[in-house]
Amino acid sequence: MTDNDEEPSQAEGSGSPIEFYFDFSSPYGYLAAHKIDSIARLYGRAMNWRPILLGVIFKTTGAQPLLDIPIKGPYTRRDMERTARFLGLPLVFPEVMPFPSIAAARAVYWVQDRDPEKARELCLALYDRAFAQGGDIREAGAVLDCAVEIGIDRDALAAALQDPAVKERLKTENEAAMAAGVCGSPFFVVDGEPFWGADRLDHLERWLATGGW
Amino acid sequence: MTDNDEEPSQAEGSGSPIEFYFDFSSPYGYLAAHKIDSIARLYGRAMNWRPILLGVIFKTTGAQPLLDIPIKGPYTRRDMERTARFLGLPLVFPEVMPFPSIAAARAVYWVQDRDPEKARELCLALYDRAFAQGGDIREAGAVLDCAVEIGIDRDALAAALQDPAVKERLKTENEAAMAAGVCGSPFFVVDGEPFWGADRLDHLERWLATGGW
């Protein structure tokens, strides 16, 4: 307890961390990343940022990338742009979508083991490069450029991206995500309750506010 | 203008009708039906209730019923129940899901050509039978039972369900829906803008309130 009556208080940090699963190639994941970051702070919850590879998960669920599906593809592109405007966030599509996000995901886990707050910064920087600026973050070089801008050591990260242990780490995380029921991006788990989609942030926020319903 | 300052006024009825596409087998369609009915009245918009057959559309989009998909299926069932509680609506799943909804859809178009307001009533009655009570509306007999309860002539509707013109009508409507870009249920079109999902009612309502953004 503090003398500050404002609530919810960021300082309290009650409850388990919000698990946030996302693919760097997912525009809805980018939109949700900014929102969940604010929501977590507002409700004083820690967050685990967990990049995943949807392509691997889609092999199990049989899903295709949304933008490639007849009829759904054009609708989805329009919905992504409308949702960005609805949420007040910039959105510029990169040239290639979906794109391979394996280097970005590996980088995040390596940074996270050393400095979780820096990993959060890296996630937002990579997402913004891809979807606020429409940039290309497919190759290791582009990921390293982003990392250097927020003070991460380029050579150490470059070496890590080639490290079999780091590659294995992402594989393990992806398998754990699938085992936890993650079927898309963004996907959240709050106190055991799963929420799939940027369009479930309303449910998630009410869940945090009320403890469930 | 009236002496009544309350707004938006139902009496004004400005703007084109809200096109509401749905499959009677869709739980999210049931939840959305109640909400869109209230929203349309609030904003003084007419509505076109357009039952469709998702199975036919899924042949084009390559989609599977959500509940049958690995990992997504169990999540979706949980999300449907949580969404119902979020919206304050009862939800009881019928024994078979998804179920054939062809008789229900044909009945609605036949009634609609005679009495659009009665068709709206029939849509809500059929949906409630299926998802508020967990009942079975697959067979023509069950559809007729629902129809009779709201004052529709049983024998006339029974004959209509066998009429080749009524069968053709549903086929034409389904093709028109696909041509209009309908890729799921529920699906709405407001002044040319498409909205897919019960989770886009927030976008739709803001669109009605602001004229788009």
Side-chain angles (χ1 to χ4, degrees), chain A residues 60-61 63 69-72 75 78-79 82-83 85-86 178 181 183 192-196 199-200 202-203 206-207 213, chain B residues 60-61 63 69-72 75 78-79 82-83 85-86 178 181 183 192-196 199-200 202-203 206-207 213:
Chain A
T60 297
T61 61
I69 301 173
I71 309 184
K72 277 190 192 179
Y75 170 81
R78 182 176 190 146
D79 183 68
R82 189 176 61 205
T83 300
R85 296 194 305 273
F86 188 76
M178 238 189 310
C183 52
E193 184 72 14
F195 301 87
W196 170 30
D199 46 21
R200 286 298 176 280
D202 54 352
H203 284 206
R206 198 194 287 183
W207 202 270
W213 67 85
Chain B
T60 297
T61 60
I69 301 173
I71 311 185
K72 277 191 192 179
Y75 171 81
R78 182 175 190 149
D79 183 68
R82 188 176 61 204
T83 300
R85 296 195 304 274
F86 187 77
M178 240 189 307
C183 52
E193 183 72 14
F195 301 88
W196 170 29
D199 46 22
R200 286 298 176 281
D202 53 353
H203 285 205
R206 200 195 284 183
W207 201 271
W213 66 85

Short mmCIF file of all heavy atoms in Angstrom, two decimals, chain A residues 60-61 63 69-72 75 78-79 82-83 85-86 178 181 183 192-196 199-200 202-203 206-207 213, chain B residues 60-61 63 69-72 75 78-79 82-83 85-86 178 181 183 192-196 199-200 202-203 206-207 213:
data_model
loop_
_atom_site.label_atom_id
_atom_site.label_comp_id
_atom_site.label_asym_id
_atom_site.label_seq_id
_atom_site.Cartn_x
_atom_site.Cartn_y
_atom_site.Cartn_z
N THR A 60 0.25 -26.98 -38.11
CA THR A 60 -0.62 -27.80 -37.26
C THR A 60 -2.10 -27.42 -37.44
O THR A 60 -2.97 -28.29 -37.53
CB THR A 60 -0.24 -27.62 -35.77
OG1 THR A 60 1.08 -28.09 -35.60
CG2 THR A 60 -1.18 -28.40 -34.86
N THR A 61 -2.37 -26.11 -37.48
CA THR A 61 -3.78 -25.70 -37.54
C THR A 61 -4.31 -25.73 -38.97
O THR A 61 -5.51 -25.62 -39.19
CB THR A 61 -3.97 -24.27 -36.98
OG1 THR A 61 -3.21 -23.36 -37.78
CG2 THR A 61 -3.51 -24.18 -35.54
N ALA A 63 -3.88 -23.47 -41.10
CA ALA A 63 -4.25 -22.11 -41.53
C ALA A 63 -3.30 -21.61 -42.62
O ALA A 63 -2.18 -22.08 -42.75
CB ALA A 63 -4.21 -21.16 -40.34
N ILE A 69 -5.67 -15.47 -48.64
CA ILE A 69 -6.91 -16.23 -48.81
C ILE A 69 -7.88 -15.46 -49.73
O ILE A 69 -8.06 -14.26 -49.56
CB ILE A 69 -7.57 -16.48 -47.43
CG1 ILE A 69 -6.59 -17.25 -46.53
CG2 ILE A 69 -8.89 -17.23 -47.58
CD1 ILE A 69 -7.06 -17.40 -45.10
N PRO A 70 -8.49 -16.17 -50.70
CA PRO A 70 -9.46 -15.49 -51.57
C PRO A 70 -10.58 -14.83 -50.74
O PRO A 70 -10.99 -15.39 -49.74
CB PRO A 70 -10.05 -16.64 -52.42
CG PRO A 70 -9.06 -17.75 -52.34
CD PRO A 70 -8.36 -17.60 -51.02
N ILE A 71 -11.04 -13.71 -51.18
CA ILE A 71 -12.10 -12.91 -50.53
C ILE A 71 -11.61 -12.35 -49.18
O ILE A 71 -11.67 -11.16 -48.94
CB ILE A 71 -13.44 -13.67 -50.34
CG1 ILE A 71 -13.89 -14.33 -51.68
CG2 ILE A 71 -14.52 -12.73 -49.86
CD1 ILE A 71 -15.25 -15.03 -51.59
N LYS A 72 -11.12 -13.25 -48.29
CA LYS A 72 -10.67 -12.77 -46.97
C LYS A 72 -9.47 -11.85 -47.07
O LYS A 72 -9.32 -10.93 -46.27
CB LYS A 72 -10.28 -13.96 -46.09
CG LYS A 72 -11.46 -14.60 -45.41
CD LYS A 72 -11.03 -15.60 -44.36
CE LYS A 72 -12.24 -16.42 -43.94
NZ LYS A 72 -11.95 -17.43 -42.94
N TYR A 75 -10.31 -8.17 -47.79
CA TYR A 75 -11.03 -7.63 -46.63
C TYR A 75 -10.06 -7.37 -45.48
O TYR A 75 -10.12 -6.33 -44.82
CB TYR A 75 -12.14 -8.58 -46.15
CG TYR A 75 -12.69 -8.12 -44.83
CD1 TYR A 75 -13.64 -7.09 -44.77
CD2 TYR A 75 -12.20 -8.61 -43.62
CE1 TYR A 75 -14.10 -6.59 -43.57
CE2 TYR A 75 -12.66 -8.11 -42.41
CZ TYR A 75 -13.60 -7.11 -42.38
OH TYR A 75 -14.04 -6.61 -41.18
N ARG A 78 -7.92 -4.27 -45.72
CA ARG A 78 -8.75 -3.10 -45.42
C ARG A 78 -9.01 -2.98 -43.91
O ARG A 78 -8.98 -1.90 -43.33
CB ARG A 78 -10.06 -3.26 -46.17
CG ARG A 78 -11.02 -2.13 -46.02
CD ARG A 78 -12.25 -2.39 -46.91
NE ARG A 78 -13.11 -1.24 -46.99
CZ ARG A 78 -13.80 -0.91 -48.08
NH1 ARG A 78 -13.74 -1.66 -49.15
NH2 ARG A 78 -14.58 0.14 -48.08
N ASP A 79 -9.26 -4.14 -43.29
CA ASP A 79 -9.55 -4.13 -41.85
C ASP A 79 -8.32 -3.72 -41.05
O ASP A 79 -8.42 -3.02 -40.04
CB ASP A 79 -10.03 -5.51 -41.40
CG ASP A 79 -10.39 -5.53 -39.93
OD1 ASP A 79 -11.39 -4.89 -39.56
OD2 ASP A 79 -9.66 -6.16 -39.13
N ARG A 82 -8.07 0.01 -41.30
CA ARG A 82 -9.13 0.65 -40.52
C ARG A 82 -8.86 0.51 -39.02
O ARG A 82 -9.10 1.44 -38.25
CB ARG A 82 -10.48 0.03 -40.90
CG ARG A 82 -11.67 0.76 -40.31
CD ARG A 82 -12.97 0.15 -40.82
NE ARG A 82 -13.09 -1.25 -40.44
CZ ARG A 82 -13.83 -2.15 -41.08
NH1 ARG A 82 -14.51 -1.80 -42.15
NH2 ARG A 82 -13.89 -3.40 -40.66
N THR A 83 -8.38 -0.68 -38.62
CA THR A 83 -8.10 -0.92 -37.20
C THR A 83 -6.98 0.00 -36.71
O THR A 83 -7.04 0.54 -35.60
CB THR A 83 -7.72 -2.40 -36.96
OG1 THR A 83 -8.82 -3.22 -37.37
CG2 THR A 83 -7.43 -2.67 -35.50
N ARG A 85 -6.30 2.98 -37.83
CA ARG A 85 -6.88 4.32 -37.66
C ARG A 85 -7.78 4.35 -36.42
O ARG A 85 -7.79 5.32 -35.67
CB ARG A 85 -7.69 4.72 -38.90
CG ARG A 85 -6.82 4.85 -40.16
CD ARG A 85 -7.57 5.58 -41.29
NE ARG A 85 -8.84 5.00 -41.66
CZ ARG A 85 -9.00 4.01 -42.55
NH1 ARG A 85 -7.95 3.46 -43.15
NH2 ARG A 85 -10.20 3.55 -42.82
N PHE A 86 -8.52 3.26 -36.20
CA PHE A 86 -9.40 3.15 -35.02
C PHE A 86 -8.59 3.29 -33.74
O PHE A 86 -9.02 3.92 -32.78
CB PHE A 86 -10.10 1.79 -35.08
CG PHE A 86 -11.19 1.58 -34.05
CD1 PHE A 86 -12.43 2.16 -34.20
CD2 PHE A 86 -10.98 0.76 -32.95
CE1 PHE A 86 -13.44 1.95 -33.27
CE2 PHE A 86 -11.98 0.54 -32.02
CZ PHE A 86 -13.22 1.14 -32.18
N MET A 178 2.76 -23.49 -28.80
CA MET A 178 1.74 -24.37 -29.37
C MET A 178 1.11 -25.24 -28.29
O MET A 178 -0.11 -25.43 -28.27
CB MET A 178 2.36 -25.23 -30.46
CG MET A 178 1.64 -25.00 -31.77
SD MET A 178 2.10 -26.13 -33.07
CE MET A 178 3.86 -26.04 -33.06
N GLY A 181 -1.57 -23.61 -26.48
CA GLY A 181 -2.80 -23.34 -27.21
C GLY A 181 -2.75 -22.11 -28.09
O GLY A 181 -3.78 -21.65 -28.59
N CYS A 183 -2.70 -20.05 -31.18
CA CYS A 183 -3.10 -20.42 -32.55
C CYS A 183 -3.05 -19.26 -33.52
O CYS A 183 -3.48 -19.37 -34.66
CB CYS A 183 -4.51 -21.03 -32.53
SG CYS A 183 -5.74 -20.03 -31.70
N GLY A 192 -3.99 -17.41 -16.82
CA GLY A 192 -4.51 -18.67 -17.36
C GLY A 192 -5.58 -18.53 -18.42
O GLY A 192 -5.97 -19.50 -19.05
N GLU A 193 -6.09 -17.31 -18.63
CA GLU A 193 -7.16 -17.09 -19.61
C GLU A 193 -6.56 -16.65 -20.94
O GLU A 193 -5.81 -15.67 -20.99
CB GLU A 193 -8.13 -16.03 -19.09
CG GLU A 193 -9.35 -15.79 -19.96
CD GLU A 193 -10.38 -16.92 -19.93
OE1 GLU A 193 -10.30 -17.78 -19.04
OE2 GLU A 193 -11.26 -16.94 -20.82
N PRO A 194 -6.90 -17.38 -22.05
CA PRO A 194 -6.32 -17.02 -23.36
C PRO A 194 -7.18 -16.00 -24.11
O PRO A 194 -8.41 -16.05 -24.06
CB PRO A 194 -6.35 -18.37 -24.09
CG PRO A 194 -7.53 -19.09 -23.52
CD PRO A 194 -7.71 -18.60 -22.10
N PHE A 195 -6.51 -15.09 -24.80
CA PHE A 195 -7.17 -14.07 -25.62
C PHE A 195 -6.46 -14.02 -26.96
O PHE A 195 -5.26 -13.76 -27.01
CB PHE A 195 -7.10 -12.70 -24.96
CG PHE A 195 -7.73 -12.63 -23.60
CD1 PHE A 195 -7.00 -12.96 -22.46
CD2 PHE A 195 -9.05 -12.26 -23.44
CE1 PHE A 195 -7.57 -12.91 -21.19
CE2 PHE A 195 -9.64 -12.21 -22.18
CZ PHE A 195 -8.91 -12.54 -21.05
N TRP A 196 -7.19 -14.23 -28.03
CA TRP A 196 -6.57 -14.25 -29.37
C TRP A 196 -7.06 -13.07 -30.20
O TRP A 196 -8.27 -12.92 -30.38
CB TRP A 196 -6.91 -15.58 -30.06
CG TRP A 196 -6.54 -15.64 -31.51
CD1 TRP A 196 -5.52 -14.98 -32.14
CD2 TRP A 196 -7.20 -16.40 -32.51
NE1 TRP A 196 -5.50 -15.30 -33.47
CE2 TRP A 196 -6.52 -16.17 -33.73
CE3 TRP A 196 -8.30 -17.27 -32.51
CZ2 TRP A 196 -6.91 -16.76 -34.93
CZ3 TRP A 196 -8.69 -17.86 -33.69
CH2 TRP A 196 -7.99 -17.61 -34.88
N ASP A 199 -8.38 -7.72 -31.49
CA ASP A 199 -9.78 -7.39 -31.20
C ASP A 199 -10.29 -8.06 -29.92
O ASP A 199 -11.49 -8.04 -29.66
CB ASP A 199 -10.68 -7.71 -32.39
CG ASP A 199 -10.40 -9.08 -32.99
OD1 ASP A 199 -9.82 -9.93 -32.27
OD2 ASP A 199 -10.75 -9.30 -34.15
N ARG A 200 -9.38 -8.66 -29.15
CA ARG A 200 -9.79 -9.15 -27.83
C ARG A 200 -9.16 -8.33 -26.70
O ARG A 200 -9.25 -8.69 -25.54
CB ARG A 200 -9.43 -10.63 -27.64
CG ARG A 200 -10.31 -11.60 -28.41
CD ARG A 200 -11.77 -11.53 -27.99
NE ARG A 200 -12.61 -12.38 -28.79
CZ ARG A 200 -13.07 -12.08 -30.01
NH1 ARG A 200 -12.75 -10.92 -30.58
NH2 ARG A 200 -13.84 -12.91 -30.66
N ASP A 202 -10.27 -5.66 -25.63
CA ASP A 202 -11.37 -5.19 -24.77
C ASP A 202 -11.71 -6.24 -23.70
O ASP A 202 -11.90 -5.92 -22.53
CB ASP A 202 -12.60 -4.78 -25.60
CG ASP A 202 -13.08 -5.86 -26.56
OD1 ASP A 202 -12.39 -6.89 -26.73
OD2 ASP A 202 -14.16 -5.67 -27.16
N HIS A 203 -11.76 -7.50 -24.13
CA HIS A 203 -11.98 -8.58 -23.16
C HIS A 203 -10.84 -8.60 -22.13
O HIS A 203 -11.07 -8.71 -20.93
CB HIS A 203 -12.02 -9.94 -23.85
CG HIS A 203 -13.29 -10.23 -24.60
ND1 HIS A 203 -13.74 -11.49 -24.85
CD2 HIS A 203 -14.20 -9.40 -25.17
CE1 HIS A 203 -14.87 -11.44 -25.54
NE2 HIS A 203 -15.16 -10.18 -25.75
N ARG A 206 -10.95 -5.82 -19.60
CA ARG A 206 -11.99 -6.00 -18.59
C ARG A 206 -11.62 -7.13 -17.62
O ARG A 206 -11.95 -7.08 -16.43
CB ARG A 206 -13.36 -6.27 -19.24
CG ARG A 206 -14.48 -5.99 -18.22
CD ARG A 206 -15.84 -6.53 -18.60
NE ARG A 206 -16.48 -5.78 -19.67
CZ ARG A 206 -17.71 -6.06 -20.11
NH1 ARG A 206 -18.41 -7.06 -19.57
NH2 ARG A 206 -18.24 -5.38 -21.09
N TRP A 207 -10.93 -8.15 -18.16
CA TRP A 207 -10.49 -9.26 -17.32
C TRP A 207 -9.53 -8.76 -16.25
O TRP A 207 -9.61 -9.13 -15.08
CB TRP A 207 -9.82 -10.33 -18.20
CG TRP A 207 -9.80 -11.68 -17.58
CD1 TRP A 207 -8.83 -12.21 -16.76
CD2 TRP A 207 -10.81 -12.70 -17.71
NE1 TRP A 207 -9.17 -13.49 -16.39
CE2 TRP A 207 -10.37 -13.82 -16.96
CE3 TRP A 207 -12.02 -12.78 -18.40
CZ2 TRP A 207 -11.10 -15.00 -16.88
CZ3 TRP A 207 -12.77 -13.96 -18.31
CH2 TRP A 207 -12.30 -15.03 -17.56
N TRP A 213 -15.11 -12.88 -15.66
CA TRP A 213 -16.58 -12.79 -15.57
C TRP A 213 -17.20 -14.05 -16.09
O TRP A 213 -16.55 -14.84 -16.70
CB TRP A 213 -17.10 -11.56 -16.35
CG TRP A 213 -16.90 -11.65 -17.81
CD1 TRP A 213 -17.72 -12.25 -18.71
CD2 TRP A 213 -15.79 -11.13 -18.58
NE1 TRP A 213 -17.22 -12.15 -19.98
CE2 TRP A 213 -16.03 -11.49 -19.94
CE3 TRP A 213 -14.64 -10.45 -18.26
CZ2 TRP A 213 -15.14 -11.15 -20.96
CZ3 TRP A 213 -13.77 -10.12 -19.28
CH2 TRP A 213 -14.02 -10.47 -20.61
N THR B 60 -15.00 -21.72 -51.52
CA THR B 60 -14.17 -20.74 -52.24
C THR B 60 -12.98 -20.27 -51.41
O THR B 60 -11.86 -20.15 -51.91
CB THR B 60 -15.02 -19.51 -52.64
OG1 THR B 60 -16.03 -19.95 -53.52
CG2 THR B 60 -14.17 -18.45 -53.33
N THR B 61 -13.23 -19.97 -50.13
CA THR B 61 -12.15 -19.41 -49.30
C THR B 61 -11.25 -20.51 -48.74
O THR B 61 -10.18 -20.21 -48.21
CB THR B 61 -12.70 -18.59 -48.12
OG1 THR B 61 -13.50 -19.45 -47.30
CG2 THR B 61 -13.55 -17.44 -48.62
N ALA B 63 -11.87 -22.23 -46.17
CA ALA B 63 -11.95 -22.23 -44.71
C ALA B 63 -12.64 -23.50 -44.20
O ALA B 63 -13.39 -24.15 -44.94
CB ALA B 63 -12.71 -21.00 -44.23
N ILE B 69 -11.13 -26.99 -36.14
CA ILE B 69 -9.70 -26.78 -36.40
C ILE B 69 -8.88 -27.10 -35.14
O ILE B 69 -9.24 -26.68 -34.05
CB ILE B 69 -9.45 -25.32 -36.84
CG1 ILE B 69 -10.27 -25.02 -38.11
CG2 ILE B 69 -7.96 -25.06 -37.08
CD1 ILE B 69 -10.23 -23.56 -38.53
N PRO B 70 -7.77 -27.86 -35.31
CA PRO B 70 -6.92 -28.15 -34.14
C PRO B 70 -6.46 -26.86 -33.46
O PRO B 70 -6.18 -25.88 -34.15
CB PRO B 70 -5.70 -28.88 -34.75
CG PRO B 70 -6.15 -29.39 -36.08
CD PRO B 70 -7.23 -28.45 -36.55
N ILE B 71 -6.36 -26.88 -32.16
CA ILE B 71 -5.97 -25.76 -31.30
C ILE B 71 -7.00 -24.62 -31.36
O ILE B 71 -7.49 -24.19 -30.33
CB ILE B 71 -4.55 -25.18 -31.63
CG1 ILE B 71 -3.50 -26.32 -31.73
CG2 ILE B 71 -4.11 -24.20 -30.55
CD1 ILE B 71 -2.06 -25.81 -31.95
N LYS B 72 -7.35 -24.15 -32.57
CA LYS B 72 -8.32 -23.06 -32.68
C LYS B 72 -9.70 -23.46 -32.17
O LYS B 72 -10.43 -22.64 -31.63
CB LYS B 72 -8.47 -22.61 -34.14
CG LYS B 72 -7.40 -21.64 -34.57
CD LYS B 72 -7.71 -21.01 -35.92
CE LYS B 72 -6.47 -20.29 -36.42
NZ LYS B 72 -6.64 -19.67 -37.73
N TYR B 75 -10.18 -23.16 -28.38
CA TYR B 75 -10.11 -21.73 -28.03
C TYR B 75 -11.40 -21.03 -28.43
O TYR B 75 -11.97 -20.23 -27.67
CB TYR B 75 -8.91 -21.03 -28.69
CG TYR B 75 -9.01 -19.54 -28.50
CD1 TYR B 75 -8.59 -18.95 -27.30
CD2 TYR B 75 -9.61 -18.72 -29.45
CE1 TYR B 75 -8.74 -17.60 -27.08
CE2 TYR B 75 -9.77 -17.35 -29.24
CZ TYR B 75 -9.33 -16.80 -28.05
OH TYR B 75 -9.51 -15.46 -27.83
N ARG B 78 -14.38 -21.56 -26.18
CA ARG B 78 -14.23 -20.76 -24.97
C ARG B 78 -14.50 -19.28 -25.23
O ARG B 78 -15.13 -18.59 -24.44
CB ARG B 78 -12.79 -20.97 -24.48
CG ARG B 78 -12.44 -20.25 -23.21
CD ARG B 78 -11.02 -20.65 -22.81
NE ARG B 78 -10.69 -20.19 -21.49
CZ ARG B 78 -9.87 -20.82 -20.67
NH1 ARG B 78 -9.30 -21.95 -21.05
NH2 ARG B 78 -9.60 -20.33 -19.47
N ASP B 79 -14.00 -18.81 -26.38
CA ASP B 79 -14.20 -17.40 -26.73
C ASP B 79 -15.68 -17.09 -26.98
O ASP B 79 -16.17 -16.01 -26.62
CB ASP B 79 -13.38 -17.04 -27.97
CG ASP B 79 -13.51 -15.57 -28.31
OD1 ASP B 79 -13.00 -14.74 -27.53
OD2 ASP B 79 -14.14 -15.23 -29.33
N ARG B 82 -17.27 -16.78 -23.60
CA ARG B 82 -16.83 -15.55 -22.92
C ARG B 82 -17.45 -14.32 -23.57
O ARG B 82 -17.85 -13.37 -22.89
CB ARG B 82 -15.31 -15.48 -22.95
CG ARG B 82 -14.74 -14.35 -22.12
CD ARG B 82 -13.21 -14.40 -22.12
NE ARG B 82 -12.69 -14.24 -23.47
CZ ARG B 82 -11.48 -14.69 -23.86
NH1 ARG B 82 -10.70 -15.34 -23.02
NH2 ARG B 82 -11.08 -14.51 -25.10
N THR B 83 -17.52 -14.34 -24.93
CA THR B 83 -18.11 -13.21 -25.65
C THR B 83 -19.59 -13.05 -25.29
O THR B 83 -20.09 -11.93 -25.12
CB THR B 83 -17.94 -13.39 -27.17
OG1 THR B 83 -16.54 -13.46 -27.46
CG2 THR B 83 -18.54 -12.23 -27.94
N ARG B 85 -21.00 -13.83 -22.47
CA ARG B 85 -21.07 -13.21 -21.14
C ARG B 85 -20.68 -11.74 -21.21
O ARG B 85 -21.28 -10.89 -20.55
CB ARG B 85 -20.15 -13.96 -20.16
CG ARG B 85 -20.56 -15.41 -19.92
CD ARG B 85 -19.88 -16.03 -18.69
NE ARG B 85 -18.44 -15.95 -18.73
CZ ARG B 85 -17.62 -16.84 -19.31
NH1 ARG B 85 -18.14 -17.90 -19.91
NH2 ARG B 85 -16.32 -16.70 -19.28
N PHE B 86 -19.69 -11.44 -22.04
CA PHE B 86 -19.23 -10.05 -22.21
C PHE B 86 -20.37 -9.18 -22.72
O PHE B 86 -20.53 -8.03 -22.31
CB PHE B 86 -18.07 -10.05 -23.21
CG PHE B 86 -17.36 -8.73 -23.39
CD1 PHE B 86 -16.46 -8.27 -22.44
CD2 PHE B 86 -17.55 -7.96 -24.52
CE1 PHE B 86 -15.76 -7.08 -22.61
CE2 PHE B 86 -16.86 -6.76 -24.70
CZ PHE B 86 -15.97 -6.32 -23.75
N MET B 178 -21.33 -13.66 -51.87
CA MET B 178 -19.92 -13.94 -52.19
C MET B 178 -19.37 -12.86 -53.11
O MET B 178 -18.24 -12.39 -52.92
CB MET B 178 -19.79 -15.30 -52.84
CG MET B 178 -18.90 -16.19 -52.00
SD MET B 178 -18.47 -17.74 -52.80
CE MET B 178 -20.02 -18.40 -53.26
N GLY B 181 -18.22 -9.90 -51.38
CA GLY B 181 -17.03 -10.04 -50.53
C GLY B 181 -17.29 -10.64 -49.17
O GLY B 181 -16.42 -10.61 -48.29
N CYS B 183 -17.19 -13.12 -46.40
CA CYS B 183 -16.27 -14.25 -46.21
C CYS B 183 -16.49 -14.95 -44.88
O CYS B 183 -15.71 -15.83 -44.50
CB CYS B 183 -14.83 -13.79 -46.34
SG CYS B 183 -14.39 -12.38 -45.31
N GLY B 192 -21.44 0.83 -47.91
CA GLY B 192 -20.34 0.33 -48.73
C GLY B 192 -19.14 -0.17 -47.95
O GLY B 192 -18.22 -0.75 -48.53
N GLU B 193 -19.11 0.04 -46.64
CA GLU B 193 -17.96 -0.38 -45.83
C GLU B 193 -18.24 -1.75 -45.21
O GLU B 193 -19.25 -1.94 -44.53
CB GLU B 193 -17.68 0.65 -44.73
CG GLU B 193 -16.46 0.37 -43.87
CD GLU B 193 -15.13 0.60 -44.61
OE1 GLU B 193 -15.12 1.22 -45.68
OE2 GLU B 193 -14.10 0.12 -44.09
N PRO B 194 -17.34 -2.74 -45.42
CA PRO B 194 -17.58 -4.08 -44.89
C PRO B 194 -17.01 -4.27 -43.47
O PRO B 194 -15.93 -3.75 -43.17
CB PRO B 194 -16.80 -4.97 -45.88
CG PRO B 194 -15.66 -4.11 -46.35
CD PRO B 194 -16.14 -2.67 -46.28
N PHE B 195 -17.73 -5.00 -42.66
CA PHE B 195 -17.30 -5.31 -41.29
C PHE B 195 -17.54 -6.80 -41.06
O PHE B 195 -18.67 -7.27 -41.18
CB PHE B 195 -18.10 -4.51 -40.27
CG PHE B 195 -18.00 -3.01 -40.43
CD1 PHE B 195 -18.86 -2.34 -41.27
CD2 PHE B 195 -17.03 -2.30 -39.74
CE1 PHE B 195 -18.77 -0.96 -41.43
CE2 PHE B 195 -16.92 -0.92 -39.89
CZ PHE B 195 -17.80 -0.24 -40.74
N TRP B 196 -16.49 -7.53 -40.71
CA TRP B 196 -16.62 -8.98 -40.52
C TRP B 196 -16.39 -9.32 -39.06
O TRP B 196 -15.34 -9.01 -38.50
CB TRP B 196 -15.60 -9.70 -41.40
CG TRP B 196 -15.47 -11.16 -41.15
CD1 TRP B 196 -16.42 -12.02 -40.70
CD2 TRP B 196 -14.28 -11.95 -41.35
NE1 TRP B 196 -15.91 -13.28 -40.61
CE2 TRP B 196 -14.61 -13.27 -41.00
CE3 TRP B 196 -12.99 -11.66 -41.79
CZ2 TRP B 196 -13.66 -14.31 -41.07
CZ3 TRP B 196 -12.07 -12.68 -41.86
CH2 TRP B 196 -12.41 -14.00 -41.51
N ASP B 199 -16.93 -9.09 -33.43
CA ASP B 199 -15.94 -8.23 -32.79
C ASP B 199 -15.62 -6.98 -33.62
O ASP B 199 -14.66 -6.27 -33.32
CB ASP B 199 -14.67 -9.00 -32.45
CG ASP B 199 -14.20 -9.88 -33.59
OD1 ASP B 199 -14.58 -9.60 -34.75
OD2 ASP B 199 -13.47 -10.86 -33.33
N ARG B 200 -16.41 -6.73 -34.68
CA ARG B 200 -16.26 -5.46 -35.38
C ARG B 200 -17.47 -4.55 -35.16
O ARG B 200 -17.60 -3.50 -35.80
CB ARG B 200 -16.06 -5.68 -36.89
CG ARG B 200 -14.68 -6.19 -37.27
CD ARG B 200 -13.56 -5.22 -36.88
NE ARG B 200 -12.25 -5.77 -37.15
CZ ARG B 200 -11.61 -6.67 -36.39
NH1 ARG B 200 -12.16 -7.10 -35.27
NH2 ARG B 200 -10.42 -7.12 -36.73
N ASP B 202 -17.86 -2.68 -32.75
CA ASP B 202 -17.35 -1.40 -32.24
C ASP B 202 -16.97 -0.48 -33.40
O ASP B 202 -17.29 0.71 -33.40
CB ASP B 202 -16.19 -1.60 -31.24
CG ASP B 202 -15.07 -2.48 -31.79
OD1 ASP B 202 -15.22 -3.06 -32.89
OD2 ASP B 202 -14.02 -2.58 -31.12
N HIS B 203 -16.30 -1.06 -34.40
CA HIS B 203 -15.99 -0.27 -35.60
C HIS B 203 -17.27 0.19 -36.27
O HIS B 203 -17.42 1.36 -36.65
CB HIS B 203 -15.21 -1.12 -36.62
CG HIS B 203 -13.77 -1.35 -36.27
ND1 HIS B 203 -12.81 -1.62 -37.20
CD2 HIS B 203 -13.14 -1.37 -35.07
CE1 HIS B 203 -11.64 -1.78 -36.61
NE2 HIS B 203 -11.82 -1.65 -35.32
N ARG B 206 -19.04 3.01 -34.48
CA ARG B 206 -18.36 4.30 -34.62
C ARG B 206 -18.54 4.84 -36.04
O ARG B 206 -18.63 6.05 -36.25
CB ARG B 206 -16.88 4.20 -34.26
CG ARG B 206 -16.32 5.60 -33.95
CD ARG B 206 -14.81 5.69 -33.93
NE ARG B 206 -14.21 5.11 -32.73
CZ ARG B 206 -12.89 5.15 -32.50
NH1 ARG B 206 -12.07 5.72 -33.38
NH2 ARG B 206 -12.39 4.59 -31.43
N TRP B 207 -18.59 3.90 -37.01
CA TRP B 207 -18.79 4.31 -38.41
C TRP B 207 -20.15 4.98 -38.56
O TRP B 207 -20.28 6.02 -39.22
CB TRP B 207 -18.69 3.08 -39.32
CG TRP B 207 -18.38 3.40 -40.75
CD1 TRP B 207 -19.26 3.66 -41.75
CD2 TRP B 207 -17.07 3.50 -41.34
NE1 TRP B 207 -18.60 3.91 -42.93
CE2 TRP B 207 -17.25 3.81 -42.70
CE3 TRP B 207 -15.77 3.35 -40.85
CZ2 TRP B 207 -16.17 3.99 -43.57
CZ3 TRP B 207 -14.71 3.52 -41.72
CH2 TRP B 207 -14.91 3.83 -43.06
N TRP B 213 -13.87 6.98 -40.80
CA TRP B 213 -12.66 7.66 -40.30
C TRP B 213 -11.46 7.19 -41.09
O TRP B 213 -11.54 6.28 -41.86
CB TRP B 213 -12.45 7.37 -38.80
CG TRP B 213 -12.14 5.94 -38.53
CD1 TRP B 213 -10.91 5.33 -38.58
CD2 TRP B 213 -13.07 4.91 -38.16
NE1 TRP B 213 -11.02 4.01 -38.27
CE2 TRP B 213 -12.33 3.72 -38.02
CE3 TRP B 213 -14.45 4.88 -37.95
CZ2 TRP B 213 -12.94 2.51 -37.67
CZ3 TRP B 213 -15.02 3.67 -37.61
CH2 TRP B 213 -14.27 2.52 -37.47
#
